[in-house]
Amino acid sequence: MAVAYTGSTFMPPLLGFIASHSTIGIFPFCIAVFVAAMLLSSEKLNTLLTKNDLLTRKDKSSKAF
């Protein structure tokens, strides 16, 4: 959660600074880069959890899940 708050704190001023020196037309490219980074990070985390067997359930007797 701390990383999420850090990103939401620093990214708008950083994007504003970059846009003030170029153009706001970079906004769609920034969004695409951030979406790609989130997708790659989540897939890397899923791979890591699956490899360490942390994502699968060990107790199969419960019907609630």
Side-chain angles (χ1 to χ4, degrees), residues 15 26-38:
L15 180 62
I26 64 167
F27 185 68
F29 298 111
C30 290
I31 295 297
V33 167
F34 295 143
V35 167
M38 287 189 304

Side-chain angles (χ1 to χ4, degrees), residues 14-24 26:
L14 181 63
L15 180 62
F17 177 76
I18 294 170
S20 69
H21 286 61
S22 62
T23 179
I24 196 64
I26 64 167

Side-chain angles (χ1 to χ4, degrees), residues 27-59:
F27 185 68
F29 298 111
C30 290
I31 295 297
V33 167
F34 295 143
V35 167
M38 287 189 304
L39 179 67
L40 292 173
S41 297
S42 67
E43 290 301 318
K44 179 71 175 175
L45 181 63
N46 284 338
T47 303
L48 181 69
L49 290 175
T50 303
K51 186 188 334 180
N52 290 340
D53 200 28
L54 296 173
L55 200 59
T56 58
R57 286 192 70 221
K58 293 182 180 27
D59 181 23

Side-chain angles (χ1 to χ4, degrees), residues 1-20:
M1 285 302 296
V3 175
Y5 290 127
T6 303
S8 66
T9 300
F10 292 116
M11 290 314 294
L14 181 63
L15 180 62
F17 177 76
I18 294 170
S20 69

